[in-house]
Amino acid sequence: MPYNIPLIVGAALSAIAALLHICVIFGGPAWYRFFGAGERMAAGAAAGHLYPPIVTLLIACVLGVWAAYALSGAGVLQPLPLLAFVLPVITAVYLLRGLVALALFVFDRQRLTAFWVWSSAICLVFGIVHLVGLIQVWDRL
């Protein structure tokens, strides 16, 4: 059975996002600001608080697990528990997060920033890649 390329790409995208989150921790406050985490997270990192790196590490871990589930759905890894449930949830989360900028545009334009636009676009692409792969493997899950 051939591997599912869109899910492999989706796994790579999630893994890259996870690695970027790890880099943000080591990059410090300037990286938190550059990647749009907000001044509160950047100031917390600058003050040496544990909250910013812990939250960022948790996000990186979630993204790493999502990469593993995409690889499992692609047939690269053995089937992970609840794969037929988790993979659609991951896809839905990416797609819904991708629509945040649109929702802000419609309902709260004052909060719409460049961060929300580009991060939503990235998540939308991730979600579409996952959706294409999910549709292709759905009958095998």
Side-chain angles (χ1 to χ4, degrees):
M1 186 175 306
Y3 297 136
N4 181 273
I5 299 302
L7 285 176
I8 292 172
V9 171
L13 294 172
S14 292
I16 290 167
L19 288 172
L20 276 174
H21 279 80
I22 299 296
C23 290
V24 166
I25 294 170
F26 290 105
W31 282 53
Y32 279 97
R33 286 183 185 97
F34 178 79
F35 285 101
E39 187 54 36
R40 188 169 166 201
M41 290 286 278
H49 296 160
L50 291 177
Y51 179 79
I54 288 172
V55 167
T56 308
L57 183 60
L58 286 173
I59 293 168
C61 288
V62 167
L63 291 166
V65 168
W66 288 7
Y69 267 90
L71 288 174
S72 180
V76 175
L77 300 178
Q78 293 295 318
L80 292 173
L82 302 171
L83 181 62
F85 171 75
V86 174
L87 201 51
V89 168
I90 292 167
T91 302
V93 169
Y94 273 135
L95 290 171
L96 289 171
R97 174 56 185 84
L99 296 175
V100 167
L102 179 61
L104 286 173
F105 180 78
V106 172
F107 297 110
D108 192 3
R109 287 189 190 171
Q110 291 179 337
R111 292 188 55 205
L112 184 62
T113 63
F115 167 78
W116 286 112
V117 172
W118 65 259
S119 63
S120 292
I122 289 168
C123 287
L124 190 59
V125 169
F126 284 26
I128 291 168
V129 169
H130 277 77
L131 182 61
V132 169
L134 181 61
I135 289 168
Q136 292 175 356
V137 301
W138 184 251
D139 60 333
R140 296 191 313 242
L141 293 182

